[in-house]
């Protein structure tokens, strides 16, 4: 297995400090990234439709809560919690149970209504009032409430839609996007959350503006080949700061009760 040294110290003679790890619990993945994601950092998970992004991120939160005593927060900008929970339960992940146990908070920020549901309370924010600061404030409140250690933002592509609407009124979408990613990075790390940002691949490119991967601490991409010798789902670890990681293309399976399984 090819590996790449991405430690912050480069090729000097001194020994680099150990990076604390946040195990994903996803079968076959953690051994490819020195035991887990860099703790307290932000990683982009990008892929086409149907590649397993939502299952992967649900596993990350579910495994954290059940196996590692690390409660989590899911900020959903696209799916409603009802549909999200149904899909997760079909895979064997009972998110309702985690909510009842105080190990998971789902913030419903779906752009159709911008209604935030948290702790059985409902917050409604009009599109004109929507802002990253309001969302981060809800995440921070949830961190204080359950002691969250993990977070998922699903998806960053939905945030792009909001930013595009503002740029149509005279803003610079690329600059707004850069500032948004920097802001999310800083604020999630400041809350000591190990976080996944979910993004869409478009024509082999990570997002329409192709800048997210330069602003985060790690990038994992998923794809789905429908025909030929390489047919199936694949995972590539494109970047993981402070980590010696696999550079290979890995086949993945999705199994009920297990979720994503990374092959050698």
């Amino acid at each position: 297995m090819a590996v790449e040294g991405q430690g912050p110290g480069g090729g000097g003679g001194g020994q680099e400090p150990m990076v604390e790890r946040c195990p994903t619990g996803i079968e076959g993945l953690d051994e490819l990234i020195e035991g887990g994601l860099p703790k307290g950092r932000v990683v982009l998970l990008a892929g086409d439709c149907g590649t397993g992004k939502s299952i992967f991120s649900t596993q990350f939160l579910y495994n954290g809560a059940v196996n590692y005593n690390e409660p989590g927060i899911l900020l959903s900008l696209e799916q409603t919690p009802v549909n999200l929970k149904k899909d997760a339960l079909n895979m064997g992940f009972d998110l309702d149970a985690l909510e009842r146990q105080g190990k998971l908070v789902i913030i419903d920020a779906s752009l159709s209504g911008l209604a935030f549901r948290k702790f059985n309370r409902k917050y409604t924010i009009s599109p004109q009032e929507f802002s990253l600061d309001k969302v981060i404030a809800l995440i921070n409140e949830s961190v204080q409430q359950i002691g969250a250690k993990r977070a998922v933002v699903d998806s960053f592509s939905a945030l792009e839609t909001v930013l595009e609407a503002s740029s149509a009124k005279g803003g610079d979408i690329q600059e707004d996007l850069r500032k948004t990613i920097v802001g999310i990075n800083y604020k999630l790390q400041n809350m000591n959350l190990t976080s996944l940002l979910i993004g869409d691949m478009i024509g082999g490119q990570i997002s329409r503006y192709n800048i997210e991967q330069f602003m985060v601490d790690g990038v994992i991409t998923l794809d789905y080949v429908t025909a030929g010798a390489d047919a199936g789902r694949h995972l590539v670890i494109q970047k993981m700061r402070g980590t010696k990681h696999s550079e290979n293309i890995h086949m993945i399976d999705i199994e009920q009760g297990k979720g994503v399984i990374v092959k050698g």
Side-chain angles (χ1 to χ4, degrees), residues 38 40-44 184-185 188-189 193 195-197 216-218:
R41 301 295 189 92
V42 178
V43 172
L44 174 67
I184 288 176
N185 249 318
L188 292 178
Q189 289 188 45
L193 292 169
S195 306
L196 288 178
L197 298 184
V216 294
D217 297 300

Side-chain angles (χ1 to χ4, degrees), residues 48 62 69 76 84 122 136 152 160 174 240:
D48 292 322
Y62 188 85
N69 195 30
S76 179
L84 192 151
K122 182 177 180 179
I136 292 296
V152 167
E160 284 183 350
Q174 288 192 310
M240 198 68 62

Side-chain angles (χ1 to χ4, degrees), residues 201-214:
M201 297 277 288
I202 300 173
Q205 179 172 290
I206 299 175
S207 88
R208 281 165 285 187
Y209 303 99
N210 202 32
I211 62 175
E212 286 96 320
Q213 67 265 41
F214 302 108

Side-chain angles (χ1 to χ4, degrees), residues 16-255:
E16 294 173 358
M18 282 288 258
V19 175
E20 195 173 358
R21 297 290 159 183
C22 175
T24 67
I26 293 173
E27 185 177 331
L29 177 61
D30 290 335
E31 52 263 45
L32 304 179
I33 49 176
E34 295 193 304
L37 304 178
K39 183 163 278 192
R41 301 295 189 92
V42 178
V43 172
L44 174 67
L45 177 67
D48 292 322
C49 179
T51 53
K53 300 188 300 293
S54 293
I55 296 171
F56 185 113
S57 57
T58 301
Q59 275 179 268
F60 171 69
L61 291 177
Y62 188 85
N63 290 339
V66 172
N67 299 326
Y68 303 108
N69 195 30
E70 292 192 350
I73 298 166
L74 173 56
L75 172 64
S76 179
L77 288 151
E78 293 185 333
Q79 272 192 299
T80 65
V82 170
N83 289 336
L84 192 151
K85 289 176 182 178
K86 284 181 180 176
D87 292 344
L89 194 58
N90 285 337
M91 291 302 303
F93 306 130
D94 190 344
L95 302 187
D96 264 328
L98 294 185
E99 281 188 311
R100 290 193 300 270
Q101 295 162 16
K103 294 182 178 181
L104 176 70
V105 167
I106 298 176
I107 302 176
D108 176 12
S110 52
L111 298 181
S112 58
L114 293 174
F116 295 76
R117 297 181 185 275
K118 187 167 64 64
F119 310 127
N120 295 319
R121 295 155 58 193
K122 182 177 180 179
Y123 305 78
T124 301
I125 299 175
S126 71
Q128 293 76 21
E129 295 175 318
F130 183 89
S131 72
L132 177 62
D133 286 341
K134 291 182 185 294
V135 172
I136 292 296
L138 287 172
I139 293 176
N140 186 58
E141 185 180 339
S142 302
V143 169
Q144 302 303 317
Q145 184 81 15
I146 67 170
K149 300 297 183 184
R150 303 182 180 209
V152 167
V153 178
D154 189 1
S155 70
F156 198 82
S157 303
L159 276 179
E160 284 183 350
T161 302
V162 176
L163 296 174
E164 284 175 341
S166 67
S167 69
K169 301 175 183 177
D172 182 334
I173 178 61
Q174 288 192 310
E175 180 61 17
D176 288 346
L177 186 59
R178 187 191 68 80
K179 288 179 179 178
T180 298
I181 299 170
V182 170
I184 288 176
N185 249 318
Y186 173 77
K187 290 170 183 177
L188 292 178
Q189 289 188 45
N190 195 47
M191 288 184 271
N192 200 31
L193 292 169
T194 307
S195 306
L196 288 178
L197 298 184
I198 311 304
D200 294 329
M201 297 277 288
I202 300 173
Q205 179 172 290
I206 299 175
S207 88
R208 281 165 285 187
Y209 303 99
N210 202 32
I211 62 175
E212 286 96 320
Q213 67 265 41
F214 302 108
M215 313 294 291
V216 294
D217 297 300
V219 178
I220 298 173
T221 59
L222 306 176
D223 74 352
Y224 190 13
V225 178
T226 58
D230 295 326
R233 294 180 174 88
H234 309 87
L235 174 148
V236 175
I237 303 155
Q238 292 195 355
K239 167 184 174 181
M240 198 68 62
R241 286 188 182 138
T243 305
K244 291 181 179 178
H245 64 80
S246 168
E247 294 179 333
N248 295 340
I249 299 172
H250 296 271
M251 293 288 294
I252 61 174
D253 288 337
I254 297 178
E255 295 184 12

